[in-house]
Amino acid sequence: MITTNMDMKIELIHGFSNKTRLEILETIKNGEKTVSQIIEALDANQSSVSQHLACLRGCGLIVSRQEGKYVYYKLRNEKVAMLLTMFDDVLDEVGDNMSSCKSHIK
């Protein structure tokens, strides 16, 4: 199967397209965290967080490292953090114009 650049972009954007995944990214934006720290910050269950962490790893947005019995997660690189900041910047500019956006999302 040939994967186009557009398909790859869609997969990348998929990592940002879920509230829990976006909350995880924001939680680790300023430094790595353990699964327990992420669960506590999100007030979510472990199963859900683990599934979303797997998705984010699969999208290439985060990396993990094992230290003893703990697994630490962090953003892959500074560019991912910059994307999160850019989303905030764009939202500041277009937020008032987004009222009809939901009616067009499938």
Side-chain angles (χ1 to χ4, degrees):
M1 173 197 243
I2 298 174
T3 303
T4 66
N5 191 38
M6 186 62 68
D7 291 335
M8 291 175 65
K9 284 182 185 179
I10 291 167
E11 287 297 315
L12 175 66
I13 292 167
H14 178 74
F16 295 98
S17 69
N18 174 276
K19 180 181 178 185
T20 301
R21 288 193 295 272
L22 196 51
E23 288 175 330
I24 290 170
L25 292 170
E26 290 289 347
T27 299
I28 62 176
K29 181 178 177 180
N30 295 315
E32 67 180 9
K33 302 265 190 300
T34 65
V35 176
S36 297
Q37 291 170 318
I38 295 168
I39 290 168
E40 184 177 320
L42 272 56
D43 193 25
N45 69 58
Q46 196 238 339
S47 175
S48 174
V49 169
S50 292
Q51 288 176 7
H52 288 294
L53 287 168
C55 176
L56 291 168
R57 276 193 319 269
C59 292
L61 296 173
I62 65 172
V63 293
S64 63
R65 70 175 179 87
Q66 180 103 26
E67 187 175 303
K69 66 178 187 172
Y70 297 102
V71 178
Y72 291 84
Y73 292 90
K74 67 178 183 176
L75 299 181
R76 173 169 292 282
N77 56 39
E78 184 59 30
K79 289 180 181 179
V80 177
M82 289 170 55
L83 267 174
L84 292 168
T85 300
M86 288 172 56
F87 287 149
D88 291 336
D89 293 345
V90 171
L91 186 58
D92 285 344
E93 291 181 22
V94 303
D96 292 340
N97 299 78
M98 292 180 59
S99 62
S100 66
C101 185
K102 281 192 174 195
S103 65
H104 298 288
I105 296 174
K106 295 180 182 177

